[in-house]
Amino acid sequence: MRLEDFDLNAHAVIMAPFVRNEPEPEWVAAKDSGILPESMFTLYTRSSYLSFGSAPSFLSDKDHFLFSYFGLVLRSIKDCLVEADSELQTFAAAQGKGYNPEKRLRGENWDVEADANARRNFQLFLMSLLASLDGTADLIALFLTDSIKGLVVGRAVFSAIETWLQIPLPSSSLVITPQQQALEDLYERIKPIVCAQGEEQDWLKFARILRNKSAHIKNSVRSFVFKHSDQNLYTFLPAQWPFLWEQHMHATGAVPPAGFKPMPQLLLDILIHQDIVSYGHDLRDRITTLLGATVAAVDAMYLEFQSFPLNQAALSQLVGNFESTGFRAFQGSGQSPPP
């Protein structure tokens, strides 16, 4: 169907309430289930449940762009966390339902779609979880505009904050602005979480590689399955991308391109050291902790900045990143295909 085929003189519009005096049920459910960090719900409550007309002066422009965008991003973070939790639970439940050689030897049946579905669940889990971090980067850009290199309202990504955390903060001047104080507070809150050492180093970089590569080149993230003494099978991921096993292959009597290495040592060198299910749960917990610390800093800024003048720099960046196209319909479009 084409839009012109409809009566566009609307007499009534059905929408969610613009003004609320209590939290929406889905926010309460996400908080009560532990999916949502406490600071997220606190910020949601402090902003009058994102009700229209409740924007603080700092985010109050004549077109309602900044506060509307603030609400859009905050809701997106919540939705991402809820979706990530759902995909993780589905992924974990799929373990053991797919093919393995022992099932075939014993003549047992297996779900032929389980493994492919589990890979999709894991990919969607990563996409939602890391999208929540990019959402928090946009919140930081809204409140600390032009304070972190590469962080732009409407196009913010958390990797810019990661880069910023690698550099020591400059010494504070004698007169510290509220924005500078907030920037230092954010740095101190999240640097220990992001910049971990030892076995946990590069944890966020690794998650981002998994997300990007699994999305761009399907099935390029290889995995290895081992049977434990508890008789269960566990899957492990390589710590690098791409992992090309062929470098360790060779004809009888020849030397493999990567050189000889005992199998146990090779596996310890190339794989992460926890199975994929426990990794997924730990990653979700770590990112939830990081989100909680980041949003707690934003909540403190919301409280302190709310009576400040309009953040014109943030508004300019947001409007500058609006995108539109001339597309309206494919030529010859008409009747919708049958369901």
Side-chain angles (χ1 to χ4, degrees):
M1 289 294 178
R2 293 187 60 88
L3 185 62
E4 297 91 334
D5 297 332
F6 294 84
D7 180 6
L8 302 181
N9 293 307
H11 302 291
V13 178
I14 300 175
M15 300 182 68
F18 277 104
V19 179
R20 290 186 173 274
N21 55 19
E22 61 181 11
E24 296 158 272
E26 60 266 29
W27 279 85
V28 176
K31 177 182 74 74
D32 291 346
S33 66
I35 295 173
L36 205 64
E38 189 65 35
S39 59
M40 278 279 295
F41 195 82
T42 300
L43 181 58
Y44 169 65
T45 302
R46 193 182 305 284
S47 60
S48 300
Y49 314 113
L50 304 175
S51 295
F52 180 80
S54 61
S57 59
F58 183 72
L59 300 175
S60 186
D61 59 279
K62 63 181 181 62
D63 295 306
H64 313 293
F65 284 158
L66 283 181
F67 190 70
S68 296
Y69 189 69
F70 168 78
L72 184 70
V73 172
L74 201 63
R75 292 183 188 281
S76 173
I77 297 170
K78 182 262 296 178
D79 290 342
C80 284
L81 290 176
V82 171
E83 290 172 7
D85 180 74
S86 176
E87 296 296 344
L88 178 60
Q89 301 307 324
T90 304
F91 170 73
Q95 302 306 301
K97 295 182 179 180
Y99 168 82
N100 73 65
E102 290 189 348
K103 287 184 179 180
R104 183 172 184 177
L105 290 173
R106 293 194 297 262
E108 297 179 8
N109 293 326
W110 61 84
D111 183 346
V112 295
E113 297 181 352
D115 292 329
N117 288 338
R119 282 194 296 271
R120 284 193 291 271
N121 292 139
F122 190 69
Q123 179 184 347
L124 291 171
F125 160 70
L126 291 170
M127 291 175 65
S128 294
L129 200 57
L130 291 176
S132 71
L133 278 186
D134 288 336
T136 61
D138 241 335
L139 290 182
I140 296 299
L142 273 171
F143 285 78
L144 294 174
T145 314
D146 294 328
S147 296
I148 298 175
K149 183 179 179 180
L151 207 62
V152 180
V153 180
R155 290 193 177 184
V157 290
F158 199 83
S159 57
I161 296 179
E162 288 178 69
T163 301
W164 169 63
L165 292 171
Q166 303 300 321
I167 305 171
L169 280 176
S171 300
S172 301
S173 58
L174 292 177
V175 179
I176 301 178
T177 66
Q179 288 84 357
Q180 288 174 314
Q181 184 63 55
L183 191 69
E184 292 181 9
D185 176 56
L186 174 67
Y187 190 93
E188 292 172 359
R189 286 176 186 262
I190 67 175
K191 182 177 176 65
I193 304 173
V194 174
C195 302
Q197 300 300 314
E199 286 192 329
E200 295 186 353
Q201 65 178 322
D202 294 333
W203 69 268
L204 194 46
K205 176 183 177 180
F206 177 66
R208 191 165 52 249
I209 288 173
L210 287 180
R211 187 271 309 270
N212 292 347
K213 302 310 181 182
S214 65
H216 297 162
I217 305 181
K218 292 292 185 182
N219 299 324
S220 66
V221 178
R222 294 179 171 180
S223 59
F224 295 75
V225 180
F226 303 100
K227 186 175 183 179
H228 193 267
S229 58
D230 65 7
Q231 302 307 307
N232 292 315
L233 298 175
Y234 295 88
T235 301
F236 291 80
L237 297 170
Q240 67 181 62
W241 187 96
F243 176 73
L244 303 175
W245 183 257
E246 290 77 3
Q247 65 182 307
H248 302 287
M249 298 173 63
H250 62 95
T252 302
V255 177
F260 285 115
K261 184 176 287 190
M263 182 63 75
Q265 188 59 52
L266 176 62
L267 295 174
L268 288 170
D269 288 346
I270 64 175
L271 302 179
I272 68 169
H273 289 193
Q274 68 178 132
D275 70 275
I276 193 172
V277 175
S278 67
Y279 165 75
H281 283 284
D282 285 351
L283 178 64
R284 191 268 304 273
D285 292 347
R286 181 61 56 87
I287 286 184
T288 302
T289 299
L290 177 55
L291 280 172
T294 306
V295 175
V298 173
D299 181 57
M301 289 182 243
Y302 191 100
L303 184 61
E304 184 172 8
F305 295 2
Q306 57 184 338
S307 60
F308 287 9
L310 170 67
N311 187 350
Q312 186 62 53
L315 180 61
S316 298
Q317 288 185 7
L318 177 61
V319 173
N321 282 320
F322 281 6
E323 296 185 40
S324 62
T325 74
F327 179 80
R328 294 298 179 267
F330 287 107
Q331 289 188 337
S333 64
Q335 295 293 324
S336 299

